[in-house]
Amino acid sequence: GDARCPAASAPGRAMSVTLHTSLGDVKVELFCELVPRTAENFLALCASGYYDSTIFHRNIKGFMIQGGDPTGTGKGGKSIYNTAKNGKFEDEIVGSLKHDSRGVVSMANSGPNTNGSQF
């Protein structure tokens, strides 16, 4: 399928992906207009099969899970942006997007501007 967010000519069009896990499906809605590079990266990695058979390598009960690392160690994973340093790309922080409800998904990183494939 198409791994790109809808063009600006289709404002308000929602994009989503469904992650199929051993414990059930998880639908992830993407805010393409607000975080275009982050959404494009996630969509493209999903479409390419990058996340297939990966695990959630970090699980903090009642708080969060973390996955998206093809090595399963929490130390791997690159973005689709090959020109970026070490396959990492810059943060897209938007004040209206908050971790204020169950099911919110964000990129996981190791500091400012170190987004790769983990979420």
Side-chain angles (χ1 to χ4, degrees):
D2 186 7
R4 295 190 165 267
C5 283
S9 61
R13 182 175 165 209
M15 291 291 297
S16 66
V17 295
T18 301
L19 304 176
H20 304 287
T21 78
S22 60
L23 295 176
D25 291 349
V26 178
K27 183 177 179 181
V28 178
E29 186 175 342
L30 302 161
F31 295 90
C32 295
E33 291 179 18
L34 297 175
V35 289
R37 285 178 56 83
T38 301
E40 182 176 31
N41 181 64
F42 190 73
L43 284 168
L45 292 173
C46 287
S48 71
Y50 190 86
Y51 295 128
D52 291 359
S53 300
T54 61
I55 64 169
F56 288 103
H57 61 271
R58 188 172 181 206
N59 181 347
I60 302 174
K61 188 175 181 176
F63 177 55
M64 66 82 133
I65 57 174
Q66 185 172 329
D69 173 7
T71 72
T73 66
K75 299 179 188 216
K78 292 186 177 186
S79 75
I80 62 169
Y81 305 113
N82 293 329
T83 57
K85 182 180 179 187
N86 298 323
K88 308 297 183 188
F89 67 98
E90 69 280 352
D91 296 333
E92 291 182 302
I93 298 173
V94 176
S96 62
L97 298 177
K98 300 189 182 308
H99 291 95
D100 58 2
S101 62
R102 183 178 178 154
V104 175
V105 176
S106 291
M107 296 303 297
N109 60 44
S110 58
N113 304 312
T114 59
N115 300 293
S117 65
Q118 294 186 44
F119 58 93

